[in-house]
Amino acid sequence: MKNHLLLFTLKLITLSFVVSLVACKSTNPMKNAQDYCLEHDRDQFKNCVRYRKDYLIEKQKVITKFKENTKRCEEYAIYKIGGVSNQCSNNNNDIVKTATASVSGNVNSQQNCDKQSNSANRNNNTSVHQIRMDMQKKDITKECMKDYGWKSDKSYRAELKVLKQKFGYAEL
């Protein structure tokens, strides 16, 4: 009985230690900056923390902007190939011109509006037609992302590399 109690206590202590280690991991830019500076630049800790925090905030802005632009471009591509009626688009000043048409930065799939499927899509729902529509959607999305200034429509790595270089965290 004593052995079971001792074993249970040991397991409980181990589990609480693991939980406390996981709890120490933070997504807070300030905490991440402090951790980085303690490890890499203790001599200039204050300056390092400010600078690293600024970098992490800018990095998060790039990632967020990429995700927002991707969503907008995908919604625009669906709209452009006839997925929804133009009642769902809301023209605003946030417009990007593409080679084929303009992209509204405010196309919102969550709006409560009549989404009408293109009648051609209903009548001609073959696999070849669907493949063509998917390819057209990918092309429109890719062009839209390039118009927003992204090097790739799939990743924000190139922009993060430039940001790292700007802040001095990557080789030129």
Side-chain angles (χ1 to χ4, degrees):
M1 179 74 169
K2 226 177 185 182
N3 288 339
H4 290 301
L5 186 59
L6 185 61
L7 186 62
F8 177 75
T9 307
L10 185 60
K11 286 182 180 179
L12 185 61
I13 291 170
T14 306
L15 181 64
S16 63
F17 178 72
V18 170
V19 168
S20 67
L21 283 177
V22 171
C24 289
K25 182 86 173 159
S26 174
T27 58
N28 180 346
M30 183 60 124
K31 175 71 175 139
N32 289 341
Q34 290 171 343
D35 292 345
Y36 177 87
C37 292
L38 278 174
E39 186 176 327
H40 292 93
D41 194 5
R42 287 180 182 243
D43 297 336
Q44 297 292 321
F45 183 75
K46 266 186 168 178
N47 293 333
C48 176
V49 169
R50 275 190 226 121
Y51 196 71
R52 183 70 179 181
K53 185 183 116 200
D54 291 344
Y55 163 72
L56 293 172
I57 289 170
E58 289 301 314
K59 179 180 175 183
Q60 190 57 46
K61 285 179 184 178
V62 168
I63 293 168
T64 302
K65 185 177 178 184
F66 181 84
K67 289 177 182 178
E68 289 172 355
N69 289 163
T70 300
K71 183 179 176 189
R72 285 179 178 162
C73 288
E74 286 173 355
E75 289 172 349
Y76 174 72
I78 290 169
Y79 164 74
K80 196 66 185 154
I81 61 173
V84 294
S85 71
N86 59 3
Q87 295 173 5
C88 294
S89 69
N90 185 6
N91 291 332
N92 206 0
N93 290 336
D94 190 13
I95 292 178
V96 175
K97 299 288 184 187
T98 65
T100 56
S102 64
V103 178
S104 171
N106 238 1
V107 174
N108 188 352
S109 63
Q110 296 175 355
Q111 283 179 327
N112 188 12
C113 62
D114 276 343
K115 293 184 179 182
Q116 302 169 355
S117 294
N118 189 345
S119 60
N121 287 345
R122 288 185 191 167
N123 296 338
N124 192 7
N125 198 10
T126 63
S127 61
V128 173
H129 180 70
Q130 188 60 42
I131 290 170
R132 286 182 183 154
M133 296 295 279
D134 289 344
M135 289 173 58
Q136 187 179 11
K137 179 183 170 195
K138 287 178 188 176
D139 290 343
I140 292 171
T141 302
K142 186 176 185 176
E143 185 64 35
C144 175
M145 289 298 283
K146 287 188 181 208
D147 289 343
Y148 272 121
W150 299 99
K151 300 234 185 283
S152 168
D153 61 317
K154 305 265 189 250
S155 174
Y156 46 79
R157 283 188 196 144
E159 287 75 15
L160 287 184
K161 185 177 179 182
V162 169
L163 187 66
K164 274 184 169 184
Q165 290 173 346
K166 176 182 171 187
F167 277 86
Y169 292 119
E171 296 294 322
L172 295 174

